[in-house]
Amino acid sequence: MEPETTVNRTDTVNDIHPCYELDNTTYLFTSNPSIICVLLHVFLSALSVVTICGNLLVIISVSYFKQLHTPTNYLILSLAVVDLLVGIIVFPFSMAYTVTSCLYHEDLFCKVRISFDVTLCTASILHLCCIAIDRYYAVCQPLAYKRKVNDRVIGIMILMSWALAALIGISIIIAGFNQGKCEESCLIDALISTTLACIFCFYIPVIIMLSIYLKIFLVARRQAISIQTTKSGATVSKMERKATKTLAIVLGVFLLCWTPYFLCIFIQPLTYDVTPIAVIETLNWLTLSNSMLNPFIYAFFYSWFRLAFRMIISGKLFWGDFTNSKLL
């Protein structure tokens, strides 16, 4: 099915999208794609494959090796599932039904695409909030950590994150979510729906996460200054600090990928100007690329993830039972 959109302008083809062409007052996905269009789709397809493979490695690693069955890693596992779905579902949808094709024409597939975008984005943010809470108890209240953050609590957190993300995704579609052009008649609706979406789906959770990590940083700094009484205690403290640092980097990369997009759609309804297509498309793919980056962060900072990745890629798991392998 080719996306078709009605426009009231006489822009050149290049002003719209390298993969679309004008036909009177409508633009269609071109039947004779240019080299730029082909290269763009090859690049985005490769991005999707890398995203899927990277997150599959994380999912298999945490699921297979018993030593990785920890509350923090369960959250990382669920976050990897979110990123995997982005690679499997959102990437293909976004290539077939781009922001360009959905700006002026909202058919079923465009609504499905936006719904998945919002749901998985919200799920990512909520998982990062849960990870921040996990790190807070691990670093700031280590004696109460195992009692307050157990498998049951983590399971509830994961379930609530998915349920709330799905609810918000459906609600945003019902209310109407404007990420492009808005005429005067829809200005109030766009302001309400888009502003609320940005505030509740992004800004409030981000402020909460940054506050938690600031508290963790201050506590960790005090712990580093104080004298460790035992070697084992120092080792555990060092491991927790490293895990917190790594997951804080995951949050930082997330913010770098997503903040420009949310700033754009937050400001858009306040103006009558149309955001350039190139800007919208670039910011949209920048957000999706975040799902590809997380596995590389884990592999770079965690030696045990690198070892697990090597065992999986080499096919070693097919030649015996390595579930109890020592990775840490």
Side-chain angles (χ1 to χ4, degrees):
M1 176 178 180
E2 294 181 335
E4 179 176 335
T5 305
T6 302
V7 293
N8 296 319
R9 306 179 316 176
T10 58
D11 298 347
T12 63
V13 174
N14 290 334
D15 289 335
I16 297 177
H17 193 283
C19 298
Y20 287 83
E21 59 185 10
L22 282 173
D23 181 16
N24 295 326
T25 59
T26 64
Y27 66 83
L28 308 169
F29 193 87
T30 180
S31 57
N32 186 25
S34 64
I35 295 179
I36 296 178
C37 177
V38 173
L39 291 177
L40 178 63
H41 276 73
V42 169
F43 172 74
L44 296 178
S45 298
L47 207 65
S48 176
V49 172
V50 173
T51 300
I52 293 172
C53 293
N55 286 286
L56 272 178
L57 286 175
V58 175
I59 293 171
I60 295 172
S61 297
V62 177
S63 302
Y64 182 82
F65 296 103
K66 292 183 178 179
Q67 197 173 20
L68 302 184
H69 293 179
T70 65
T72 303
N73 286 343
Y74 287 142
L75 289 172
I76 292 176
L77 170 65
S78 188
L79 179 60
V81 173
V82 175
D83 292 334
L84 177 67
L85 291 177
V86 171
I88 294 176
I89 300 176
V90 178
F91 268 87
F93 261 119
S94 295
M95 284 189 284
Y97 300 91
T98 63
V99 174
T100 303
S101 63
C102 293
L103 279 177
Y104 304 90
H105 181 71
E106 296 185 359
D107 61 9
L108 175 63
F109 290 100
C110 286
K111 291 181 179 180
V112 170
R113 172 194 171 278
I114 296 174
S115 179
F116 275 112
D117 274 354
V118 174
T119 299
L120 295 177
C121 165
T122 305
S124 293
I125 296 176
L126 293 177
H127 277 79
L128 290 174
C129 285
C130 293
I131 290 174
I133 295 173
D134 170 82
R135 291 296 86 203
Y136 172 80
Y137 281 105
V139 176
C140 301
Q141 299 184 25
L143 298 179
Y145 177 66
K146 290 186 178 181
R147 176 171 53 86
K148 292 187 175 182
V149 184
N150 50 44
D151 291 350
R152 177 176 174 273
V153 172
I154 291 297
I156 294 175
M157 293 170 72
I158 292 174
L159 182 61
M160 290 183 62
S161 296
W162 280 100
L164 186 58
L167 179 62
I168 292 176
I170 295 173
S171 299
I172 292 301
I173 299 305
I174 294 176
F177 183 68
N178 189 289
Q179 56 180 349
K181 181 179 178 181
C182 181
E183 303 293 347
E184 183 176 2
S185 60
C186 76
L187 178 60
I188 301 301
D189 291 339
L191 278 172
I192 294 175
S193 62
T194 307
T195 301
L196 290 178
C198 292
I199 291 175
F200 288 102
C201 293
F202 186 75
Y203 292 110
I204 290 180
V206 165
I207 290 173
I208 293 174
M209 284 186 285
L210 291 178
S211 300
I212 293 175
Y213 275 107
L214 177 61
K215 173 66 174 177
I216 293 173
F217 171 77
L218 295 175
V219 172
R221 187 178 180 182
R222 289 199 300 267
Q223 291 177 349
I225 296 175
S226 65
I227 300 175
Q228 298 293 334
T229 57
T230 63
K231 183 177 179 180
S232 61
T235 302
V236 172
S237 178
K238 182 179 179 180
M239 290 176 59
E240 294 293 359
R241 286 198 300 270
K242 182 176 181 180
T244 301
K245 178 182 177 181
T246 301
L247 295 171
I249 292 174
V250 171
L251 171 61
V253 171
F254 179 89
L255 293 178
L256 288 176
C257 292
W258 281 94
T259 301
Y261 175 80
F262 272 96
L263 286 176
C264 178
I265 63 173
F266 183 78
I267 296 173
Q268 175 62 49
L270 301 176
T271 67
Y272 290 103
D273 295 329
V274 178
T275 303
I277 294 299
V279 173
I280 296 178
E281 294 285 0
T282 301
L283 294 181
N284 178 65
W285 285 106
L286 177 63
T287 61
L288 296 181
S289 67
N290 175 249
S291 297
M292 177 195 67
L293 297 175
N294 287 341
F296 290 97
I297 297 175
Y298 303 141
F300 183 80
F301 285 96
Y302 288 138
S303 60
W304 41 276
F305 258 127
R306 290 196 297 272
L307 178 58
F309 287 177
R310 283 197 296 267
M311 293 178 68
I312 295 171
I313 294 174
S314 65
K316 188 176 181 180
L317 302 186
F318 294 104
W319 302 102
D321 184 6
F322 297 94
T323 57
N324 295 308
S325 298
K326 185 175 178 59
L327 299 175
L328 298 178

